[in-house]
Amino acid sequence: MFIEVLKSKIGHAVITQAQLHYEGSITIDSDILKAVGIIPGEKVHVLNENTGNRLETYVIAGNPASGVICLNGPAARHGYPGDRLIILSYGLFEPAEAKHLVPKIVYLDSKNKIKKS
């Protein structure tokens, strides 16, 4: 049996763009993705701290050191530039392995630079 457990968290991300006319996803600075071990195409939960909206989508890698956090397609209806997000990814683990898992967590500043990991 496998259980779903938090593996990665990006806290206090600030939406920099919202592109409604796109197929859908969230674009995240590739340096941030690397820091938390999220890969392009991975499913994430996106929680908007300002509105309470919560959605599932997949990740697109943005330019490194750009600070980009962009909601694309229908996801763009769930937040506006300046809103703060929590972005979570989960993994499937056997319970014995999950007990020892330490999630990779980073917190971002107002420019989406890593300030604490």
Side-chain angles (χ1 to χ4, degrees), residues 34-109:
K34 185 176 179 181
V36 293
I38 295 175
I39 63 170
E42 186 170 340
K43 179 171 80 171
V44 292
H45 288 172
V46 179
L47 292 63
N48 187 316
E49 294 179 31
N50 294 74
T51 66
N53 287 333
R54 184 178 187 120
L55 68 112
E56 278 185 1
T57 191
Y58 66 92
V59 171
I60 293 176
N63 291 332
S66 65
V68 68
I69 302 288
C70 180
L71 296 177
N72 300 304
R77 297 280 191 203
H78 291 271
Y80 299 96
D83 284 359
R84 291 173 60 128
L85 305 176
I86 299 169
I87 302 163
L88 308 170
S89 72
Y90 302 87
L92 295 173
F93 301 90
E94 292 185 7
E97 183 182 14
K99 288 179 184 178
H100 303 290
L101 178 69
V102 177
K104 292 183 179 181
I105 299 173
V106 297
Y107 294 96
L108 306 180
D109 67 15

Side-chain angles (χ1 to χ4, degrees), residues 8-41:
S8 305
K9 175 181 177 179
I10 302 168
H12 310 304
V14 177
I15 298 173
T16 59
Q17 302 171 45
Q19 300 290 332
L20 180 60
H21 301 293
Y22 190 81
E23 293 179 9
S25 60
I26 184 169
T27 303
I28 302 173
D29 178 319
S30 61
D31 287 341
I32 299 168
L33 295 178
K34 185 176 179 181
V36 293
I38 295 175
I39 63 170

